[in-house]
C-alpha cells in the first residue's frame, strides 16, 4: 500500500520488472536504428525516469532532447494539449523517436506527432512505457510498448498524481 496525497495505491509493476522490460526495448531500438543516428525526443515531465533508464541501455550513437506538453489535471485528461517547451533541434530529414510515459486517450501523442510531422522528419516512431488500449480515443501506433495496462490510474516511476509520486521506483495502481 502506498499513499500519495489523499489517495491509496497498490504495487502494480516492480522495479525489477521495469528494468527487465526496459532493457529489452533498448535492445530492439539499438538493433532497429543501427547506423541511423536517431534524434530521441523525450516527453516531459512524466517520462523523465523512463527516458533516463532506457537511454542508458541503448548503445548506438544518438541525440537526445526534451519536449514538454501538458494535458492532465489531477486525474483527468483535459482533452487539450499545451506545448510548454517546443522542439529546438532541426527535425527535417531526421529519424525521430518519441519517448512517452503513457498513451491513454492518445490525444497528446496525436497532437505531438502532427506537430513533428510538419517539420518533415525522415521517420517517426513512438516508444511508450505504458499503453491503456481500452482508453484510446485516437488511433495511435505505438512501435515499442513496455506494458499494456487496464484503464486505471497509475502513479510512480515518473508519473504523478497532482504533482506527487514521480520519485517512486515502482508503478502503483489506484486502489
Ligand atoms: P492522453 O493524451 O493519451 O490521454 O494522455 C497522455 C498523458 O496523460 C500522459 O503522458 C500522462 O502524462 C497522462 N496520463 C494518462 N494516464 C495516466 C495515468 O494513469 N496516470 C498518470 N499519472 N498520468 C496519466
Ligand atoms: Mg506524459
Amino acid at each position: 500500500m502506498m499513499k500519495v496525497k489523499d489517495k491509496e495505491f497498490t504495487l502494480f509493476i516492480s522495479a525489477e520488472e521495469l528494468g527487465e522490460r526496459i532493457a529489452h526495448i533498448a535492445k530492439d531500438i539499438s538493433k532497429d536504428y543501427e547506423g541511423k543516428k536517431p534524434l530521441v525526443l523525450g516527453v516531459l515531465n512524466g517520462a523523465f525516469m523512463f527516458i533516463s533508464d532506457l537511454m542508458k541501455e541503448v548503445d548506438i550513437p544518438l541525440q537526445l532532447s526534451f519536449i514538454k506538453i501538458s494535458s492532465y489535471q489531477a486525474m483527468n485528461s483535459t482533452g487539450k494539449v499545451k506545448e510548454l517547451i517546443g522542439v529546438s533541434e532541426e527535425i527535417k530529414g531526421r529519424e525521430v523517436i518519441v519517448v512517452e510515459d503513457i498513451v491513454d486517450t492518445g490525444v497528446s501523442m496525436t497532437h505531438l506527432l502532427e506537430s513533428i510531422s510538419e517539420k518533415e522528419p525522415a521517420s517517426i516512431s513512438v516508444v511508450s512505457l505504458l499503453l491503456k488500449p481500452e482508453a484510446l480515443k485516437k488511433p495511435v501506433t505505438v512501435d515499442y510498448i513496455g506494458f499494456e495496462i487496464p484503464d486505471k490510474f497509475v502513479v510512480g516511476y515518473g508519473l504523478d498524481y497532482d504533482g506527487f509520486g514521480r520519485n517512486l521506483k515502482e508503478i502503483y495502481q489506484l486502489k
Side-chain angles (χ1 to χ4, degrees):
M1 230 274 297
M2 174 68 65
K3 194 153 187 194
V4 180
K5 285 194 80 182
D6 56 328
K7 298 266 188 296
E8 292 184 347
F9 294 84
T10 49
L11 182 62
F12 183 50
I13 308 174
S14 70
E16 289 73 25
E17 287 174 285
L18 286 167
E20 275 173 30
R21 188 69 197 121
I22 289 164
H24 197 96
I25 297 172
K27 226 175 175 179
D28 288 345
I29 292 173
S30 304
K31 184 157 59 75
D32 296 348
Y33 283 87
E34 198 168 0
K36 288 189 172 162
K37 299 194 178 68
L39 172 62
V40 177
L41 296 179
V43 184
L44 298 174
N45 292 325
F48 83 93
M49 220 179 254
F50 175 47
I51 298 162
S52 167
D53 286 343
L54 181 70
M55 288 301 111
K56 283 184 267 184
E57 304 282 335
V58 174
D59 59 5
I60 52 162
L62 55 81
Q63 285 180 307
L64 173 60
S65 189
F66 299 93
I67 46 188
K68 184 166 180 174
I69 57 172
S70 161
S71 69
Y72 252 58
Q73 268 175 0
M75 287 204 177
N76 299 296
S77 181
T78 59
K80 283 184 225 130
V81 183
K82 274 191 288 183
E83 200 164 292
L84 305 172
I85 301 176
V87 185
S88 47
E89 278 70 21
E90 176 77 80
I91 300 255
K92 198 175 160 115
R94 299 296 306 271
E95 315 279 351
V96 173
I97 304 176
V98 179
V99 183
E100 251 287 25
D101 51 355
I102 182 165
V103 174
D104 179 28
T105 61
V107 170
S108 309
M109 190 51 77
T110 301
H111 177 94
L112 204 59
L113 293 178
E114 276 168 12
S115 92
I116 295 170
S117 297
E118 284 170 8
K119 301 185 172 100
E120 300 174 34
S123 68
I124 314 181
S125 70
V126 175
V127 187
S128 185
L129 178 63
L130 305 172
L131 173 71
K132 291 179 180 169
E134 297 155 27
L136 265 185
K137 287 187 188 146
K138 299 257 183 181
V140 177
T141 304
V142 182
D143 304 276
Y144 304 89
I145 301 170
F147 301 88
E148 290 196 1
I149 64 167
D151 188 9
K152 271 184 122 178
F153 191 77
V154 292
V155 289
Y157 197 71
L159 292 121
D160 71 307
Y161 163 47
D162 215 7
F164 289 85
R166 291 196 198 276
N167 56 318
L168 298 168
K169 290 192 201 55
E170 310 86 3
I171 293 180
Y172 293 81
Q173 189 176 54
L174 186 65
K175 223 176 150 181

